[in-house]
Amino acid sequence: MQRAMRLLECVAEHAYGAPAKQLARETGLALPTAYHLLRTLVHEKYLRREKGLFFLGEAAERLAGSGAAQKRRGTVVDALARWRDAIGVPVYYAMYRDGEIEIMCVSDTPGNPAVEEWADFRETGHAHAIGQCLLSQLDEEARRDHLDRHPVQPVTPYTVRDGSALLKRLERMQPTAPVTERQEYALGTVCAAIPITFGTTAATMAISLPSNQADRLVPAVQRLQEEMGRLLGSLAISISI
């Protein structure tokens, strides 16, 4: 296994390919051993051979892509933890992907726990700040499609009452302004979400607080906006985990 990995690493260093003899020499392997391992790696599609030269294959490129995705996710996870500690609130990252609301990452602590998902977040997007923020970034056709699949229903006494009222609310939202909701999804909880749009990607960073700390909501989300502004450039690629 170690010898095969050495060969893969060596091939990766040669953008224009390398012959077996060169790879054997650079990895310190006997030529017969190198030939045997190279044939196996080609068979498993970790390498490909063209005109006597070896290049990285499909399987190796998939591994590299997976590693890059993990690194991007790590960037977001670290940022959320930093903001959580700096502001003293749970921080959420969510995206609208393939027609659904997806909570991608949550960072909280025992002293500042995240909101319990007692009703499916995907089906109750009309009721929470994350869902409303994501829906506000969609065009009218996509919004109506979402609400056809996930109709507006009361979740608490404070939830918007019907789809028409929700659509009017979404139309009034400013593209860069935080979206707030108070006890619409969970009694005793207030939330705010910041819209993030990169190209066609609709995403959001959000926070939550107990309703008895509602006076902290606006200052906390403004602080989150400031913190995000400092890192948004480096997060632009990472945001599409």
Side-chain angles (χ1 to χ4, degrees):
M1 181 65 175
Q2 285 183 329
R3 292 179 298 181
M5 289 301 297
R6 277 158 52 197
L7 278 171
L8 280 174
E9 291 170 355
C10 191
V11 172
E13 293 174 358
H14 296 280
Y16 300 101
K21 288 183 179 179
Q22 181 180 354
L23 294 169
R25 183 175 65 254
E26 292 181 2
T27 55
L29 296 173
L31 188 56
T33 301
Y35 271 126
H36 171 71
L37 291 172
L38 289 168
R39 282 196 297 268
T40 301
L41 291 168
V42 169
H43 177 72
E44 297 294 335
K45 297 186 178 180
Y46 287 100
L47 296 178
R48 57 186 172 86
R49 186 178 184 181
E50 294 181 10
K51 298 178 180 179
L53 301 178
F54 292 89
F55 302 81
L56 290 180
E58 296 176 8
E61 289 169 356
R62 284 198 299 272
L63 282 176
S66 175
Q70 289 181 352
K71 184 175 181 180
R72 292 197 301 270
R73 178 176 174 81
T75 299
V76 175
V77 170
D78 291 346
L80 262 65
R82 188 156 56 251
W83 297 334
R84 174 202 68 203
D85 294 340
I87 307 171
V89 295
V91 183
Y92 311 74
Y93 167 54
M95 293 177 64
Y96 195 82
R97 191 161 65 173
D98 298 328
E100 298 294 348
I101 293 165
E102 292 192 34
I103 307 296
M104 309 300 293
C105 184
V106 179
S107 189
D108 65 351
T109 65
N112 291 300
V115 177
E116 181 182 353
E117 187 179 357
W118 72 276
D120 193 321
F121 278 137
R122 291 174 299 178
E123 297 179 4
T124 57
H126 60 281
H128 48 72
I130 286 174
Q132 293 176 27
C133 186
L134 292 173
L135 293 174
S136 73
Q137 297 175 61
L138 306 180
D139 59 33
E140 184 177 354
E141 182 180 355
R143 288 177 194 166
R144 292 186 180 277
D145 172 73
H146 182 91
L147 296 177
D148 285 343
R149 290 180 289 110
H150 303 298
V152 172
Q153 298 178 1
V155 180
T156 75
Y158 302 96
T159 308
V160 63
R161 306 318 295 176
D162 56 59
S164 177
L166 176 65
L167 288 171
K168 289 179 181 177
R169 179 190 294 185
L170 296 175
E171 289 171 2
R172 292 195 299 268
M173 290 179 181
Q174 299 299 311
T176 60
V179 175
T180 60
E181 59 89 356
R182 289 170 165 76
Q183 304 190 85
E184 294 182 44
Y185 173 78
L187 292 175
T189 302
V190 295
C191 301
I194 299 167
I196 307 171
T197 304
F198 293 113
T200 59
T201 300
T204 180
M205 295 286 181
I207 62 172
S208 63
L209 282 165
S211 57
N212 62 6
Q213 298 180 34
D215 58 325
R216 291 184 56 205
L217 186 65
V218 172
V221 77
Q222 289 174 341
R223 173 77 183 279
L224 178 59
Q225 276 186 306
E226 293 170 1
E227 295 287 340
M228 285 173 57
R230 297 189 182 100
L231 280 179
L232 209 50
S234 61
L235 285 175
I237 296 175
S238 303
I239 215 74
S240 58
I241 304 177

